[in-house]
C-alpha cells in the first residue's frame, strides 16, 4: 500500500466534527424543545464518547499504516 500523510487528512477532519457534535448537544440543552432529560443527555454523551474513541483509534491506526509504508519504501530505496 502506497500511503502518504495526505491520506490522514480525511480522518483528521472527521475527528474535528466532535466540536460540531458538542455544539449540537449544548444547543439542545439550552434551547431545545422539548428539553432533553438527564438520561437523554447521558446517552448522547456516552454515544459520542464511544464514536470518537473509534474515530481516534481509526485515525491512529491509519497513521501507523502510513509510518510502516514509508519505512518500507525507505528501506527498499536503500537496499
Amino acid at each position: 500500500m502506497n500511503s502518504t500523510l495526505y491520506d490522514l487528512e480525511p480522518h483528521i477532519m472527521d475527528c474535528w466534527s466532535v466540536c460540531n457534535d458538542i455544539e449540537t448537544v449544548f444547543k439542545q440543552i439550552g434551547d431545545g424543545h422539548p428539553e432533553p432529560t438527564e438520561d437523554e443527555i447521558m446517552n448522547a454523551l456516552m454515544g459520542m464518547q464511544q464514536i470518537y474513541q473509534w474515530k481516534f483509534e481509526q485515525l491512529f491506526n491509519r497513521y501507523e499504516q502510513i509510518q510502516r509504508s514509508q519505512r518500507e519504501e525507505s528501506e527498499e530505496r536503500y537496499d
Side-chain angles (χ1 to χ4, degrees), residues 2-78:
N2 189 8
S3 299
T4 68
L5 288 177
Y6 294 108
D7 295 329
L8 286 177
E9 184 175 0
H11 296 278
I12 292 169
M13 297 309 294
D14 192 36
C15 289
W16 272 109
S17 64
V18 68
C19 296
N20 296 332
D21 293 341
I22 291 170
E23 181 179 15
T24 299
V25 171
F26 76 69
K27 281 182 178 178
Q28 187 64 30
I29 292 169
D31 299 329
H33 298 288
E35 188 175 318
T37 65
E38 272 188 38
D39 283 342
E40 289 173 326
I41 294 169
M42 291 301 294
N43 289 337
L45 293 174
M46 288 187 317
M48 285 174 55
Q49 188 274 335
Q50 184 60 62
I51 287 170
Y52 283 95
Q53 178 71 35
W54 290 333
K55 285 185 178 191
F56 284 107
E57 286 173 2
Q58 291 169 11
L59 171 61
F60 191 74
N61 289 339
R62 188 70 181 134
Y63 171 78
E64 287 182 321
Q65 289 173 348
I66 290 168
Q67 291 296 312
R68 271 192 304 275
S69 176
Q70 288 180 345
R71 190 171 33 253
E72 289 168 2
E73 288 174 11
S74 177
E75 289 172 358
E76 288 174 3
R77 262 187 258 138
Y78 294 109

